[in-house]
Amino acid sequence: MIDPRRDLPSVNALLESTGVRALLEQHPRRVVLEAVRSAVDAARSQGGAQKTEQQWVASIASAVQSLSRPSLRRVINATGVVLHTNLGRAPLAESAVEAMTHIAAGFSNLEYDLETGARGSRNSHCVGLLQQLTGAEDALVVNNCAAALVLTLNALAQKKEVLVSRGELVEIGGSFRIPDIMASGGAKLVEVGTTNRTNDDDYRRAITPKTAAIVKVHRSNFAIEGFTSDVSVDRLAFIAAEHGLPVIHDLGSGLMIPLDEYGLTGEPTASMALESGASLVLMSGDKLLGGPQAGIILGAANLIAKLRKNPLARAMRVDKLTLSALEATLRLYLEPARALKEIPILAMLTAPVTEIESRAESVAAKLRAAGIELKVVESSASVGGGAFPTAAIPSRAIALLRNPEDAERKLRLGELAVIGRISEGNLLLDLRSVLPREDGLLADAITKLRHD
Ligand SMILES: *Cc1c(COP(=O)(O)O)cnc(C)c1O
């Protein structure tokens, strides 16, 4: 029995109590034990405040709950940044989730040729769809776009020189700096031109017998304006061809269908990038393509063959789960209208603002009914993930007017975390980046603010 008059009960006494015994029936012993210890430690650090048995059990139960929560959890992205790298970039289409679950739960022909009954290649999956959708001669899927760049340079330019414009020596966020990546591929970087201007002759003058390739990096997360010029991929292809060199285009975003009619212009699609004459185009699977994390390399079959043979290709190979989700996502692009509807990223980016507004209003109505003070306000969402860096997509947000910092923290730490943004003293929850089927959960999470 726990004596509330004693300052701190022993761990053993707590473990014997009825409430904690009930927890032991539902949770691993080591978790409960850790929870008991942390509850005792917490009480000690608060100066040994006296508690009843019931209070002890409640604090242990809450410690068990927080110890049992997975580290990687779902959150609601109400930031208005649709492709948020910190929030896991693209959510998968339902068909991709189904394909992944199906493949995850059993064996598969990942590296087995069902026709011949012999060993097959992991590299055979997704290739046909990528060729069909982009017009590429061949394709290779690796872990992410950074890996694609390292592999490409290692296979084609190790110990040789690679030309890059100074205007493209960019950092793509989170320790991804183009010069570092290129160096880790074993290539020597030769910078050409200046930050704002690079022309044909800058490249021509830099070509030596040691040059192995010209790299074009898509300026994905910023725009340079003013007195600028750069050399387009088709011009680079022309210059490179004079010397028999490949042009490697690090495209990043992985846009598969044009989004001009939705006001998103200026980002080339994968097939446009190939048509411009790049020998290889590299892109991410989880940006505008809307699939799993992956690096997709498209282009000349003779070059891709070299990449496949490179030892790094083994180190950067993708898992069956990635391939299954990517294949299902690519399949949706066979019908572009379906892709726009079913790939969550594309649906979010192309939804008419009237639709976002009516969702915001219906969430707002629920909240008002629960006595929460708010306004529905105009907001400006962005693509994120290093694509269409200057695009401002009209959107609507729920603005919580009371204690924005406190509300932001509570929503972030709640059972289902909601991530918003503070703007001009209000907490804004932008509906454009929220999955429509999570509107109800969003409303519930905000309603809970009232009760604590
Ligand atoms: C995002 C991006 C990358 C990195 O892609 P990951 O798939 O995150 O490795 C590389 N290059 C460009 C141009 C990008 O926009």
Side-chain angles (χ1 to χ4, degrees):
M1 270 297 100
I2 295 160
D3 179 357
R5 288 161 307 178
R6 272 187 57 191
D7 287 23
L8 288 172
S10 72
V11 167
N12 279 339
L14 286 166
L15 284 169
E16 293 295 309
S17 72
T18 322
V20 176
R21 285 222 300 268
L23 287 171
L24 278 167
E25 274 168 27
Q26 290 184 15
H27 299 276
R29 184 175 173 84
R30 56 195 296 169
V31 171
V32 179
L33 195 57
E34 199 180 331
V36 169
R37 288 194 178 124
S38 79
V40 173
D41 287 348
R44 182 176 298 124
S45 71
Q46 285 156 19
Q50 291 183 357
K51 287 185 187 192
T52 63
E53 176 161 337
Q54 216 178 6
Q55 286 169 326
W56 275 110
V57 172
S59 59
I60 293 164
S62 114
V64 164
Q65 202 185 25
S66 81
L67 288 168
S68 310
R69 284 211 291 193
S71 159
L72 184 59
R73 346 195 239 276
R74 276 286 283 267
V75 309
I76 292 185
N77 173 9
T79 61
V81 181
V82 174
L83 275 172
H84 201 303
T85 297
N86 301 152
L87 303 182
R89 291 197 185 153
L92 295 178
E94 234 161 82
S95 63
V97 174
E98 276 164 24
M100 216 166 111
T101 338
H102 186 60
I103 290 299
F107 296 103
S108 59
N109 64 337
L110 179 64
E111 290 185 356
Y112 186 78
D113 186 332
L114 292 170
E115 293 295 323
T116 62
R119 191 196 155 103
S121 166
R122 166 187 318 248
N123 291 330
S124 63
H125 307 287
C126 295
V127 173
L129 277 167
L130 286 167
Q131 288 168 319
Q132 215 180 331
L133 293 167
T134 66
E137 203 183 350
D138 203 353
L140 177 63
V141 182
V142 294
N143 237 315
N144 53 37
C145 190
L149 187 56
V150 172
L151 172 62
T152 302
L153 294 175
N154 194 263
L156 306 182
Q158 197 180 18
K159 301 200 176 96
K160 297 226 181 100
E161 294 178 355
V162 172
L163 311 188
V164 196
S165 161
R166 288 202 169 81
E168 295 166 15
L169 292 175
V170 297
E171 172 169 321
I172 314 213
S175 73
F176 182 91
R177 284 191 167 176
I178 290 292
D180 301 341
I181 292 287
M182 297 188 53
S184 65
K188 179 167 184 285
L189 188 71
V190 176
E191 303 176 11
V192 305
T194 61
T195 304
N196 59 332
R197 291 177 73 87
T198 304
N199 58 42
D200 290 18
D201 280 341
D202 291 325
Y203 285 98
R204 282 212 175 86
R205 274 199 301 271
I207 294 177
T208 72
K210 282 180 149 180
T211 310
I214 299 181
V215 169
K216 178 87 180 167
V217 182
H218 185 59
R219 278 192 208 113
S220 48
N221 50 4
F222 68 108
I224 299 193
E225 283 178 30
F227 185 57
T228 63
S229 73
D230 67 352
V231 184
S232 60
V233 174
D234 54 336
R235 291 293 305 157
L236 285 181
F238 184 76
I239 296 165
E242 292 169 0
H243 299 86
L245 297 172
V247 173
I248 298 159
H249 190 180
D250 178 11
L251 185 63
S253 81
L255 183 63
M256 298 291 281
I257 44 184
L259 298 176
D260 298 66
E261 62 179 291
Y262 303 96
L264 295 167
T265 55
E267 195 86 19
T269 62
S271 29
M272 281 157 65
L274 285 165
E275 273 163 26
S276 309
S279 324
L280 293 178
V281 169
L282 320 181
M283 60 193 206
S284 297
D286 54 353
K287 290 187 181 171
L288 286 172
L289 192 145
Q293 179 191 301
I296 298 170
I297 308 171
L298 303 167
N302 63 326
L303 300 180
I304 300 239
K306 285 190 192 169
L307 268 53
R308 278 202 193 103
K309 278 197 226 117
N310 186 281
L312 284 181
R314 169 65 178 81
M316 293 164 175
R317 75 180 191 188
V318 282
D319 179 47
K320 58 185 180 293
L321 301 185
T322 303
L323 288 167
S324 61
L326 182 60
E327 180 176 2
T329 308
L330 291 171
R331 211 167 278 286
L332 293 171
Y333 282 102
L334 295 172
E335 283 175 81
R338 201 168 159 211
L340 287 172
K341 249 194 8 230
E342 294 187 24
I343 295 177
I345 284 300
L346 298 181
M348 285 173 172
L349 291 174
T350 62
V353 69
T354 48
E355 198 178 300
I356 308 289
E357 172 154 298
S358 74
R359 286 173 48 209
E361 287 298 349
S362 70
V363 171
K366 276 194 199 168
L367 297 176
R368 284 192 192 106
I372 307 259
E373 282 182 58
L374 64 102
K375 269 196 316 207
V376 173
V377 297
E378 291 191 4
S379 158
S380 176
S382 61
V383 179
F388 299 108
T390 56
I393 314 170
S395 188
R396 293 292 183 273
I398 306 275
L400 296 184
L401 309 171
R402 284 265 186 112
N403 304 328
E405 272 89 18
D406 186 51
E408 186 279 331
R409 195 181 58 83
K410 282 186 177 148
L411 284 174
R412 174 161 48 78
L413 296 175
E415 199 46 41
L416 173 61
V418 175
I419 316 295
R421 69 171 194 271
I422 297 215
S423 167
E424 294 169 9
N426 288 330
L427 173 60
L428 298 188
L429 303 164
D430 193 314
L431 270 288
R432 188 168 290 275
S433 55
V434 175
L435 294 165
R437 67 183 135 83
E438 292 183 339
D439 284 0
L441 297 171
L442 174 67
D444 292 348
I446 303 172
T447 309
K448 273 202 193 143
L449 289 177
R450 259 192 77 79
H451 307 297
D452 35 55

